[in-house]
């Protein structure tokens, strides 16, 4: 799961630096003090739930492909789900996943902002230049936020992914679940708390670098796009509207999402298998999972489901960024816009 579009402060940093160099004057940002908090949280819950619902089928398809032995072509797998399970097959585990999003996002945001503030202040106090201090603070914040969110998200991920693959060939020997609560109880009864946190370490190893790659790619993409616009302006001044800024943010987010998906795909495949597949009485370790993948299809097996994951992360990042900007403008207090 990605929370990368949840914070508005970091979104503007790369664009602001590039814009300053190219005489591009971006519109003022809607900051925290300008927002009607109640409207912001209520509308945010509705908008982001809608985005999650739209993208969930790609997540289900990606998960099915990662655990399939052998993996069918992507379109054939999608057609099989639709033919045998109907449209509901693409939403297995959605209620469980949605229920975990709110607390996980809250932990992510809390850890992100607290760590960024603390590390940024400390590094500046030690005489570190502002650009380096900002980079260090963002890196530390992304790492701590990923760890904090996984405390809630790993059990949700384990349960929702078990439900996602239920009905597929990969889950024929697994327990049958009547829903998220039933799956939670059965996993807890059979494997204890450890079962709910299966793949926790691998989740950290997946999402921490994924956050780092995403933010680096997002910042670089915005710099390149605004730099290109400044170059074609020939030294003049430009005051883009909010729509233009959101388009640039959306394109940058799509590029960042795609880059992050490709670079962290093997880690995500290993994590998913550890959380979903039954080890036949033996513990599913990273080494055992990797050896199984290599036997099935070499290193290419680690990239099963790349298409749906790449599409999901790119579209998710774009929609989350644009939705977040739209949400802030809808939630602004009277007189601030």
């Amino acid at each position: 799961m990605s929370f990368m579009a949840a914070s508005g402060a970091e979104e503007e940093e790369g664009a602001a630096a590039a814009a300053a160099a190219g005489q591009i004057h971006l519109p003022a940002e809607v900051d925290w003090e300008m927002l009607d908090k109640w409207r912001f949280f209520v509308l945010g819950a509705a908008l982001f739930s809608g985005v999650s619902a739209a993208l969930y089928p790609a997540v289900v398809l990606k998960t099915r492909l990662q655990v399939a032995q052998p993996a069918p072509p992507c379109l054939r797998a999608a057609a099989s789900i639709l033919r045998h399970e109907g449209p509901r097959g693409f939403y297995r585990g959605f209620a469980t996943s949605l229920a975990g999003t709110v607390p996980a996002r809250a932990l992510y945001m809390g850890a992100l902002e607290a760590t960024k503030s603390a590390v940024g202040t400390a590094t500046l106090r030690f005489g570190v230049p502002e650009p380096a201090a900002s980079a260090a603070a963002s890196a530390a914040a992304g790492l701590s936020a990923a760890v904090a969110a996984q405390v809630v998200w790993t059990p949700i991920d384990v349960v929702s992914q078990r439900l996602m693959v239920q009905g597929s060939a990969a889950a024929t020997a697994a327990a049958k679940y009547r829903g998220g609560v039933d799956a939670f109880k059965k996993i807890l009864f059979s494997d204890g708390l450890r079962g709910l946190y299966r793949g926790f370490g691998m989740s950290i190893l997946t999402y921490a670098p994924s956050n780092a790659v995403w933010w680096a790619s997002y910042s670089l993409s915005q710099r390149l796009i605004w730099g290109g616009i400044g170059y074609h302006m020939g030294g003049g001044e430009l005051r883009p509207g909010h729509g233009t800024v959101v388009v640039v943010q959306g394109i940058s987010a799509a590029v960042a999402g795609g880059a992050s998906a490709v670079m962290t795909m093997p880690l995500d495949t290993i994590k998913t298998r550890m959380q979903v597949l039954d080890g036949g009485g033996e513990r599913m370790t990273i080494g055992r999972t990797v050896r199984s993948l290599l036997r099935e299809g070499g290193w290419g097996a680690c990239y099963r489901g790349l298409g749906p994951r790449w599409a999901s992360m790119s579209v998710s990042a774009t929609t989350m960024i644009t939705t977040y900007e739209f949400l802030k403008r809808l939630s602004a207090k009277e007189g601030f816009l």
Side-chain angles (χ1 to χ4, degrees):
M1 175 187 186
S2 172
F3 300 93
M4 294 164 189
S7 175
E10 288 93 339
E11 293 171 12
E12 303 301 323
E13 292 177 357
Q23 297 300 312
I24 300 174
H25 302 280
L26 300 180
E29 174 70 5
V30 179
D31 62 29
W32 183 249
E33 297 303 322
M34 300 178 183
L35 296 175
D36 179 324
K37 308 301 188 297
W38 173 253
R39 192 190 310 168
F40 178 75
F41 284 116
V42 172
L43 290 177
L47 286 172
F48 285 116
S49 295
V51 171
S52 297
L55 298 174
Y56 196 76
V59 178
V60 172
L61 181 59
K62 181 268 299 183
T63 303
R64 292 282 185 101
L65 290 171
Q66 286 177 320
V67 301
Q69 301 173 349
C74 183
L75 291 179
R76 186 184 300 171
S80 177
I81 294 173
L82 194 60
R83 183 170 59 253
H84 295 106
E85 304 171 53
R88 291 183 62 183
F90 286 105
Y91 284 91
R92 289 185 180 271
F94 177 66
T96 301
S97 177
L98 191 61
T101 297
V102 174
R105 189 182 296 278
L107 276 173
Y108 183 93
M109 287 300 302
L112 185 77
E113 297 301 333
T115 305
K116 186 175 182 183
S117 177
V119 174
T121 302
T123 50
L124 288 172
R125 190 179 297 130
F126 282 110
V128 178
E130 195 280 331
S134 177
S138 295
L143 178 60
S144 68
V147 174
Q150 288 311 308
V151 172
V152 170
W153 190 250
T154 296
I156 295 297
D157 217 15
V158 169
V159 172
S160 62
Q161 286 181 337
R162 296 283 185 96
L163 294 171
M164 284 180 198
V165 302
Q166 189 162 266
S168 68
T172 52
K176 300 299 180 183
Y177 308 116
R178 294 189 299 273
V181 175
D182 182 56
F184 180 87
K185 290 179 179 178
K186 286 181 177 177
I187 295 171
L188 191 61
F189 179 77
S190 62
D191 301 326
L193 192 61
R194 187 175 186 173
L196 290 171
Y197 279 91
R198 181 188 286 189
F200 177 74
M202 201 63 216
S203 294
I204 300 299
L205 291 176
T206 300
Y207 291 118
S210 180
N211 271 265
V213 171
W214 196 95
W215 283 114
S217 302
Y218 181 68
S219 176
L220 178 60
S221 296
Q222 286 205 88
R223 286 175 180 272
L224 291 174
I225 292 172
W226 287 120
I229 293 174
Y231 175 79
H232 286 291
M233 283 166 44
E237 290 192 1
L238 176 66
R239 297 180 181 274
H242 287 283
T244 303
V245 173
V246 170
V247 168
V248 172
Q249 290 174 334
I251 294 172
S252 300
V255 172
S260 180
V262 172
M263 295 185 69
T264 61
M265 186 67 202
L267 296 173
D268 186 70
T269 300
I270 295 167
K271 173 193 73 71
T272 301
R273 285 205 160 205
M274 290 179 67
Q275 291 177 330
V276 173
L277 295 182
D278 185 358
E282 297 182 29
R283 184 183 174 191
M284 290 293 291
T285 64
I286 294 176
R288 184 182 178 194
T289 305
V290 171
R291 287 193 295 272
S292 174
L293 280 166
L294 293 179
R295 282 197 303 269
E296 290 175 26
W299 288 108
C302 295
Y303 284 88
R304 287 175 180 171
L306 175 61
R309 185 170 189 252
W310 180 87
S312 174
M313 288 187 67
S314 296
V315 175
S316 174
T318 301
T319 53
M320 289 295 182
I321 286 287
T322 54
T323 300
Y324 188 76
E325 290 300 317
F326 178 61
L327 170 63
K328 286 195 296 183
R329 300 193 67 78
L330 282 180
S331 306
K333 295 176 182 177
E334 295 293 334
F336 280 102
L337 289 179

